[in-house]
Every structure is written in C-alpha cells, then in structure tokens.
Amino acid sequence: QLQLQESGPGLVKPSETLSLTCTVSGGSISGDSYYWGWIRQPPGKGPEWIGSFYYGESTSYNPSLKSRVTISADTSKNQFSLKLSSVTAADTAVYYCARHDRGYSGRYSVLSSDYWGQGTLVTVSS
Amino acid sequence: DIVMTQAPLSSPVTLGQPASISCRSSQSLVHSDGNTYLSWLQQRPGQPPRLLIYKISNRFSGVPDRFSGSGAGTDFTLRISRVEAEDVGVYYCMQTTQFPLTFGGGTKVEIK
C-alpha cells in the first residue's frame, strides 16, 4: 500500500525558507509512470498546486511560485523535498505531497492525483 | 492558467436524496492526446483530499458506485445518487490537462 508522509517544521519566520520532506513507502519515486509533487491548502481555502516532477525529467512549477520554489528528489532515501524561500503569512497552509498518475496516449499526460499524504500545517509567523 | 469554477458553493441535501455539483473550466480540457483530464476529489473534515473520479467519469479504486461523473469540453458534473452521512465534506474538481494543475473553489455537501 502506497503511503506518503510529510515532515518538517510547523513554524517558519517571515522572510525565511520553508523546507519540507515527503517520505514515500510502498512505491519508488524513481519508478515508471508517476509524477510526484507538492500541493498546499491555506486554511479555509481550496488546494493550490505548487509543482511536480517525473524522475529523470524536468520539474514543473506553478508560475505564481516559481521564483521561490525548488523541488528535489533523493532516491537513496525514496524522499522528495520542497523549499519555498522568502515566506510571508500568505504561505501559511497545510502542505501535502502527492502522487500523480502518468499516462501515455501518443503524448504524456497527468491522469490524476491519486494518492496524497496526510498533510502538515506550516505557519509563517514571527 | 485554466480557471475552474464550481457551483453551488454549498449543497444541503437530505439523506438518501441525490446531489449534483457543477464544474466549468475557462478553456477546453481536451488534451492533445484526445483525452479529457478532469478529476473530482472529496475532502472530509480534517482529512486530505481523496480521488473519486478521473478522466471525467472513471471511478477510482474503492469508490462507491453512487458517485458518477459526466461532461465534456468545459462543463462537468459530479452526481451522488443517494447521499449518505459519510459523504459530508467539500468536493473539488481538478484539471490535469495542462500545467499548472488547477482546482475549483470547492462545493460543501452537508446534510439538511
């Protein structure tokens, strides 16, 4: 059974860098057919996609966050990470890591976001 | 970016009665491969979102058959044939046809 688990500080000061890690069990982040990514959800609001990668290929980022975001992978630990720099109170949210099913029908596509972690609340405050 | 708009914001439903949620995209969700990548997710209180439906009408593993999806192009619908107490939560449509992936604002299903 695939499981994703987010970890990292629950409190980050304004202007600092938010760092989170997603540990994957029951599946390999370097395996075929899946993208892996980060999604966040501010309190009381809908989800917002941050970015996703397919191992060995380029990473896609939300243009609204691209200048501040880096997603990287560590296959030796089967983990991937999120770094978001220069945070403000607007970055306060529950951060989820997720798997996206990849399809191919002549062109590659993202079929869905089929597995999500439980999420971790990150508060930006001094 | 593709903007996803859901209606209604809230849907009070009597147990055992049907519910319907609409989702409209700002542009066609037909991918260059001919498929349409529109998903529906359910978020129960205090839980992460859970995939219900993908590619407009395909139920994900373990999803009850009272959930169904339909639509094409820019207009999509999620239907619950007979609402049960465990269906309470917020429902989101999500497009994965192109990056950036985007979500609707959500529809809250509650029991009258």
Side-chain angles (χ1 to χ4, degrees), chain A residues 4-85:
Chain A
L4 298 89
Q5 180 66 58
E6 306 87 352
S7 59
L11 181 64
V12 181
K13 290 183 168 55
S15 79
E16 295 190 344
T17 295
L18 178 161
S19 296
L20 296 174
T21 297
C22 180
T23 301
V24 178
S25 57
S28 171
I29 65 171
S30 60
D32 292 340
S33 302
Y34 299 107
Y35 295 90
W36 304 88
W38 291 95
I39 295 165
R40 71 180 183 178
Q41 186 171 27
K45 296 187 178 181
E48 177 185 33
W49 174 74
I50 299 171
S52 302
F53 71 95
Y54 186 86
Y55 185 73
E57 299 182 4
S58 61
T59 302
S60 295
Y61 295 112
N62 194 320
S64 67
L65 298 168
K66 187 174 183 177
S67 63
R68 300 193 290 130
V69 175
T70 302
I71 294 174
S72 58
D74 183 342
T75 55
S76 67
K77 296 179 181 177
N78 212 34
Q79 296 175 335
F80 60 98
S81 299
L82 169 71
K83 291 190 185 301
L84 179 65
S85 64

Side-chain angles (χ1 to χ4, degrees), chain A residues 33-35 99-105 107-114, chain B residues 31 33 35-41 51 53-56 58 60 94-99 101:
Chain A
S33 302
Y34 299 107
Y35 295 90
R99 188 183 82 170
H100 313 300
D101 198 2
R102 189 193 215 198
Y104 184 82
S105 298
R107 301 276 301 257
Y108 285 113
S109 61
V110 178
L111 297 182
S112 65
S113 293
D114 57 359
Chain B
H31 191 272
D33 67 7
N35 293 303
T36 300
Y37 297 106
L38 184 282
S39 299
W40 290 96
L41 300 101
L51 179 65
I53 302 280
Y54 64 96
K55 285 175 65 179
I56 300 178
N58 295 271
F60 188 56
M94 175 188 183
Q95 69 81 19
T96 58
T97 292
Q98 70 178 54
F99 290 119
L101 311 183

Side-chain angles (χ1 to χ4, degrees), chain B residues 78-104:
Chain B
L78 174 71
R79 290 187 176 86
I80 310 173
S81 59
R82 295 172 304 280
V83 171
E84 298 187 5
E86 66 178 19
D87 299 335
V88 165
V90 181
Y91 291 77
Y92 296 97
C93 58
M94 175 188 183
Q95 69 81 19
T96 58
T97 292
Q98 70 178 54
F99 290 119
L101 311 183
T102 51
F103 296 83

Side-chain angles (χ1 to χ4, degrees), chain B:
Chain B
D1 299 5
I2 297 177
V3 177
M4 308 296 289
T5 303
Q6 288 183 232
L9 288 179
S10 177
S11 179
V13 184
T14 300
L15 285 173
Q17 293 301 302
S20 181
I21 300 170
S22 171
C23 174
R24 180 166 292 177
S25 57
S26 61
Q27 61 191 81
S28 174
L29 297 185
V30 179
H31 191 272
S32 56
D33 67 7
N35 293 303
T36 300
Y37 297 106
L38 184 282
S39 299
W40 290 96
L41 300 101
Q42 174 196 61
Q43 188 171 32
R44 292 172 172 150
Q47 294 294 312
R50 163 200 177 202
L51 179 65
L52 295 177
I53 302 280
Y54 64 96
K55 285 175 65 179
I56 300 178
S57 60
N58 295 271
R59 274 188 300 277
F60 188 56
S61 175
V63 174
D65 61 6
R66 65 178 180 275
F67 291 94
S68 64
S70 63
T74 62
D75 288 287
F76 307 93
T77 302
L78 174 71
R79 290 187 176 86
I80 310 173
S81 59
R82 295 172 304 280
V83 171
E84 298 187 5
E86 66 178 19
D87 299 335
V88 165
V90 181
Y91 291 77
Y92 296 97
C93 58
M94 175 188 183
Q95 69 81 19
T96 58
T97 292
Q98 70 178 54
F99 290 119
L101 311 183
T102 51
F103 296 83
T107 295
K108 187 174 186 178
V109 171
E110 52 194 356
I111 305 302
K112 279 183 184 175

